């Protein structure tokens, strides 16, 4: 059977497996699906069980040659490896040709972060309509608590605890964590909840809803945040993860407590959080260069 004919059964079954058994978010599952469609396209008429390691190496080389970086290729390989594991378990595939293969190393890049002034400029927005109130609450919450986009859109009002100034977040792997809420985020959330009910469909449990009254889509959040950044004249493209980076950077600059930032971000490993120590050093170095009399460059 040609590889492309395997899509309806195996791919849809795998997506159901990711959702039902691995508790992956719809957004993460769709990212996996996109990468697996790449594999099917590269395989052409060759059935997936017939692919060997040298085929996978050639596919990765092709994707690298088309401009895909090391980080993206590592994600692609991970998706393919997991898909083959599923095929072996449920569809009689005999081997996993992705085992033992590694993507080319990606150059280390530091995540960009807004300055504190830029972040405040972004979230302090006028509220003239209920949708303005919703957007302000979403943006304040992203910056206040460092949430991932998938975590934000999956929230329900019951997850908010204003008395305790905290929000219960369900992150990757269905792990739950409690994150502090800032006072500005609490005020914005209360203002949104005051106008949410007439917009939300009957029985809708989502905290944030779109104009249709159903749970807001990740794409809508991205578009509205990007437009807000353009309106405020922020040069770098503004996206939800940028507010997460900014949250982590600003908390670390103020507190120096890497473990606390790790807990709030929901990172499984401290090594993932340590990238922000480099950002913090960059900030300190900039202050040093501008302030220390022996650091100023000769003119």
């Amino acid at each position: 059977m040609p590889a492309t004919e395997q899509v309806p059964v195996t791919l849809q079954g795998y997506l159901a497996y990711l959702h039902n058994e691995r508790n992956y978010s719809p957004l993460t599952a769709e990212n996996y699906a996109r990468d697996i469609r790449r594999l099917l396209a590269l395989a052409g008429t060759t059935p997936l069980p017939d692919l060997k390691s040298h085929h996978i190496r050639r596919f990765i080389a092709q994707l690298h040659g088309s401009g895909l970086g090391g980080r993206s290729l590592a994600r692609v390989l991970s998706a393919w490896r997991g898909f083959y594991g599923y095929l072996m378990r449920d569809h009689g595939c005999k081997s996993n040709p992705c085992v033992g293969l590694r993507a080319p190393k990606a150059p280390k890049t530091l995540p960009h972060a807004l300055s504190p002034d830029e972040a405040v400029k972004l979230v302090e927005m006028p509220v003239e309509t209920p949708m303005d109130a919703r957007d302000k609450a979403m943006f304040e919450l992203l910056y206040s608590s460092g949430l991932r986009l998938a975590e934000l859109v999956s929230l329900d009002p019951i997850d908010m605890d204003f008395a305790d100034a905290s929000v219960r977040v369900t992150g990757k792997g269905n792990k739950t964590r409690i994150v502090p809420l800032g006072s500005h985020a609490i005020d914005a959330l209360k203002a949104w909840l005051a106008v949410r009910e007439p917009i939300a469909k009957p029985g809708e449990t989502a905290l944030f809803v779109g104009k249709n009254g159903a749970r807001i889509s990740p794409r809508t959040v991205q578009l509205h945040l990007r437009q807000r950044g353009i309106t405020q004249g922020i040069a770098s493209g503004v996206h939800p993860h940028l507010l997460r980076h900014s949250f982590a950077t600003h908390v670390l600059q103020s507190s120096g407590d890497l473990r606390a930032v790790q807990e709030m971000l929901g990172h499984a490993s401290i090594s993932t959080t340590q990238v922000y120590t480099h950002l913090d050093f960059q900030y300190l170095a900039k202050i040093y260069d501008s302030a220390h009399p022996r650091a100023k460059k000769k003119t």
Side-chain angles (χ1 to χ4, degrees):
M1 179 183 292
T4 51
E5 293 179 16
Q6 302 173 45
V7 179
V9 175
T10 56
L11 183 51
Q12 292 307 315
Y14 184 54
L15 295 180
Y17 161 75
L18 292 179
H19 177 71
N20 297 325
E21 296 188 39
R22 299 297 299 276
N23 294 313
Y24 283 13
S25 71
L27 189 62
T28 301
E30 181 50 41
N31 288 337
Y32 273 70
R34 183 182 64 244
D35 290 334
I36 292 163
R37 290 188 189 102
R38 279 184 171 136
L39 172 64
L40 291 163
L42 289 163
T45 58
T46 304
L48 296 188
D50 292 349
L51 294 178
K52 307 299 181 186
S53 294
H54 67 272
H55 293 114
I56 302 298
R57 286 194 189 93
R58 187 173 74 244
F59 297 161
I60 291 297
Q62 287 178 250
L63 292 175
H64 196 206
S66 68
L68 219 58
R71 194 183 302 274
S72 296
L73 290 172
R75 187 203 66 231
V76 167
L77 262 177
S78 176
W80 293 358
R81 193 179 297 115
F83 186 48
Y84 266 103
Y86 165 78
L87 293 179
M88 291 174 68
R89 192 191 77 164
D90 290 357
H91 292 273
C93 187
K94 300 299 183 184
S95 64
N96 189 332
C98 303
V99 171
L101 299 186
R102 291 186 179 182
K105 285 190 176 180
K108 288 189 176 180
T109 56
L110 297 177
H112 172 66
L114 298 170
S115 70
D117 287 344
E118 285 177 322
V120 170
K121 186 179 178 183
L122 185 72
V123 299
E124 285 191 347
M125 56 184 288
V127 174
E128 298 175 357
T129 67
M131 293 297 97
D132 290 341
R134 179 203 64 191
D135 287 355
K136 180 175 176 60
M138 291 192 304
F139 304 161
E140 288 277 11
L141 184 52
L142 284 169
Y143 179 51
S144 162
S145 304
L147 304 189
R148 300 178 178 94
L149 176 57
E151 294 169 347
L152 178 86
V153 300
S154 67
L155 289 173
D156 296 336
I158 197 172
D159 295 319
M160 302 294 118
D161 188 339
F162 295 139
D164 194 41
S166 66
V167 54
R168 185 179 67 236
V169 180
T170 301
K172 290 184 176 180
N174 211 29
K175 292 180 180 177
T176 300
R177 68 186 189 278
I178 305 296
V179 184
L181 275 175
S183 59
H184 292 285
I186 290 174
D187 290 343
L189 285 162
K190 286 180 176 178
W192 159 240
L193 286 171
V195 297
R196 171 191 171 278
E197 190 172 349
I199 302 169
K201 288 181 177 179
E204 176 57 66
T205 62
L207 173 60
F208 297 114
V209 298
K211 289 181 180 179
N212 63 356
R215 188 177 297 273
I216 197 168
S217 71
R219 184 61 177 157
T220 299
V221 180
Q222 292 171 327
L223 290 173
H224 282 237
L225 185 56
R226 180 173 177 273
Q227 185 57 51
R228 175 62 184 165
I230 293 171
T231 301
Q232 291 304 97
I234 297 174
S236 56
V238 178
H239 51 87
H241 223 67
L242 178 59
L243 285 181
R244 179 170 162 87
H245 291 322
S246 303
F247 157 83
T249 303
H250 300 164
V251 171
L252 187 60
Q253 286 173 356
S254 300
S255 69
D257 193 331
L258 192 64
R259 283 287 179 190
V261 173
Q262 177 195 359
E263 290 293 325
M264 287 186 280
L265 290 176
H267 285 162
S269 169
I270 192 72
S271 63
T272 310
T273 319
Q274 281 174 333
V275 65
Y276 295 104
T277 63
H278 300 296
L279 287 170
D280 192 41
F281 177 78
Q282 285 186 334
Y283 171 78
L284 294 174
K286 184 177 180 181
I287 297 299
Y288 177 86
D289 288 342
S290 64
H292 197 289
R294 301 293 285 176
K296 293 175 180 175
K297 292 181 174 67
K298 294 180 181 179
T299 57

